[in-house]
Amino acid sequence: MRDHARNTEIPGDWDRRGLPGWCYHSPALLDLEQSELFKTHWQIACHVSDVPEVGSFQCFDMCGERAIILRDDTSEVRAYLNICRHRGSRLVAKEQGKCTNALVCPFHGWVYNLDGTLRGAARPESFPQLDKHEFGLKPLEMEVWHGFVFVRFKPGPQPSVAELLAPMEQELSAYRMAEHVPTDGIWTEETPVNWKSIRDVDNEGYHVPLAHPALQDLYGFTYADEPYVDGVSRSDGRFTPTKGRRWAVRNYKKFTKPQPHLPEHLHKTWLYYGIFPNAVIAVTPETTLFYQEFPVSTDKSILRSATYRNPVEDRQQRAARYLAARIDRETVEEDIQLTVWSNESMQSEAFEGFYLSDLEYGVRSHHDHLRRVLPIYNVETAPDEDGLAALNASMTGAPDQ
């Protein structure tokens, strides 16, 4: 059961339209989204198990920003901008690794302690005296929630991660996610669509029966979506009682078994939690995973994901985890194709907008969250690109930056 009651009812007479088509191919809007949406909202950088030892690091790049998650010499997890204070070079080039006892800039050799303070500059006699804190690495706002490391590049409207996800706290705590360990690391994939088309597909289960035969075989008619409420959504798929027609599903249902730390109603359930604007934490009896997308351009996005498992598992659980991953990967490939078909329609003059089913209210609720951040989404016809930021600022009553 979840901690707090959420009003997830669909209004009796709701606006079934989605965002206007121009919102999916406007460079000026993308600039606003990157600055005022992605950078001001919590982003999942990694899991604490990705930085298991002193000196371990995990890099996280998004929308022109660079972060490094690092475990310092007291075993505390820290987050910094991955930027040398001398000339702005990337301090760490590898996505993941371990340093001995310091970070050394590959450009000019400035050295930083694991607590972020400056240890020293190369050729120190060529500089005035440098304060180790003033010239230390810039810390990022960071919060660890059930093992997941969240960062935020700019102050924003969301509360703490713990407060944001409080409605799901009790249910998710049963999975002991902080104890989980990595499986195959963090993977990324580029896809030729606007990031919102990815979210639109992911925010509704109306397409599951036809588009995802494996998921339909796994949980079929039991699947249910809850819309975004205060920045969080939830979807629930409880296994159907059938054995399964597809090989992967049939054998997954055969091998998956109750986890002793999970309550009975979660023994045969897959759950998905959407975190506005662009992330999902999903759980199965065998795994925890996150996935998210970031815009590169109006027609290019990066998919990023990682899966984690229970720290102790037997051969049967490993087999079930493998099969769950196979089902999930098949679903990802199907969704990528759906996003391409949906996104390309936005460029057509014949496109007349969405007309959403009650089963797609999650799409509308996500769009409504977007509108509250950037009211320019409410403009039905494409505004002038040069004046878009100023128009959005006037709609919020804020001065144009």
Side-chain angles (χ1 to χ4, degrees), residues 81-217:
L81 288 174
N82 188 8
I83 296 175
C84 179
R85 298 300 307 283
H86 172 219
R87 291 271 295 276
S89 171
R90 186 184 291 265
L91 274 174
V92 176
K94 294 194 302 181
E95 291 186 5
Q96 186 180 39
K98 183 179 179 182
C99 55
T100 52
N101 61 4
L103 297 170
V104 182
C105 177
F107 197 174
H108 294 93
W110 280 38
V111 182
Y112 298 87
N113 297 309
L114 299 184
D115 65 1
T117 56
L118 177 67
R119 180 179 298 183
R123 301 290 301 272
E125 74 279 1
S126 66
F127 293 95
Q129 186 172 357
L130 300 174
D131 183 273
K132 67 177 184 178
H133 296 287
E134 180 183 354
F135 287 92
L137 299 179
K138 289 289 188 181
L140 276 176
E141 188 178 7
M142 184 198 77
E143 186 172 345
V144 178
W145 185 82
H146 286 280
F148 285 102
V149 181
F150 288 78
V151 298
R152 184 159 54 181
F153 289 98
K154 294 169 57 177
Q158 287 178 316
S160 71
V161 178
E163 182 178 347
L164 179 69
L165 295 175
M168 315 305 179
E169 169 72 26
Q170 182 178 347
E171 186 171 60
L172 275 175
S173 65
Y175 287 89
R176 301 179 181 176
M177 298 183 297
E179 301 174 11
H180 284 191
V181 296
T183 56
D184 303 316
I186 297 175
W187 65 264
T188 60
E189 181 175 343
E190 191 174 279
T191 184
V193 298
N194 186 279
W195 74 273
K196 293 185 292 297
S197 288
I198 301 170
R199 232 19 27 242
D200 289 347
V201 168
D202 200 58
N203 282 331
E204 51 90 2
Y206 184 37
H207 69 283
V208 168
L210 193 60
H212 297 315
L215 293 187
Q216 181 66 10
D217 198 15

Side-chain angles (χ1 to χ4, degrees), residues 305-317:
S305 181
T307 301
Y308 306 87
R309 63 171 177 83
N310 292 307
V312 178
E313 61 178 8
D314 58 26
R315 292 179 63 185
Q316 181 176 336
Q317 290 168 324

Side-chain angles (χ1 to χ4, degrees), residues 228-385:
Y228 280 87
V229 177
D230 297 328
V232 182
S233 68
R234 179 184 181 276
S235 300
D236 183 318
R238 304 189 179 212
F239 299 176
T240 56
T242 60
K243 290 184 178 180
R245 298 181 302 275
R246 300 172 69 86
W247 179 87
V249 174
R250 183 170 62 253
N251 283 284
Y252 173 69
K253 286 184 172 182
K254 176 182 176 181
F255 288 123
T256 187
K257 64 182 183 180
Q259 301 292 321
H261 56 275
L262 292 179
E264 184 176 357
H265 73 281
L266 296 179
H267 287 174
K268 296 183 178 182
T269 301
W270 284 14
L271 297 173
Y272 307 83
Y273 299 89
I275 304 170
F276 183 80
N278 65 309
V280 173
I281 291 176
V283 289
T284 76
E286 298 77 25
T287 61
T288 299
L289 63 93
F290 76 85
Y291 58 91
Q292 58 200 160
E293 67 280 334
F294 308 116
V296 178
S297 63
T298 57
D299 58 356
K300 187 183 298 182
S301 299
I302 295 292
L303 304 176
R304 183 175 185 265
S305 181
T307 301
Y308 306 87
R309 63 171 177 83
N310 292 307
V312 178
E313 61 178 8
D314 58 26
R315 292 179 63 185
Q316 181 176 336
Q317 290 168 324
R318 283 197 298 273
R321 178 166 58 82
Y322 163 78
L323 293 163
R326 179 170 173 157
I327 294 167
D328 187 63
R329 188 59 193 171
E330 181 180 329
T331 302
V332 170
E333 294 302 323
E334 291 161 349
D335 272 341
I336 288 174
Q337 182 60 74
L338 296 176
T339 63
V340 171
W341 287 337
S342 177
N343 192 83
E344 66 186 7
S345 70
M346 309 298 177
Q347 298 280 9
S348 171
E349 293 183 2
F351 178 71
E352 296 182 349
F354 298 167
Y355 188 73
L356 299 170
S357 158
D358 284 351
L359 298 175
E360 298 169 290
Y361 186 64
V363 176
R364 176 70 198 197
S365 67
H366 184 262
H367 289 184
D368 286 343
H369 276 61
L370 290 173
R371 290 181 176 98
R372 284 195 282 272
V373 178
L374 296 175
I376 194 70
Y377 288 117
N378 289 294
V379 176
E380 289 298 320
T381 58
D384 177 68
E385 284 284 292

Side-chain angles (χ1 to χ4, degrees), residues 34-35 37-41 62-63 65 152-154:
Q34 290 179 324
S35 175
L37 186 65
F38 282 88
K39 296 179 185 179
T40 62
H41 287 69
M62 185 205 72
C63 298
E65 300 292 353
R152 184 159 54 181
F153 289 98
K154 294 169 57 177

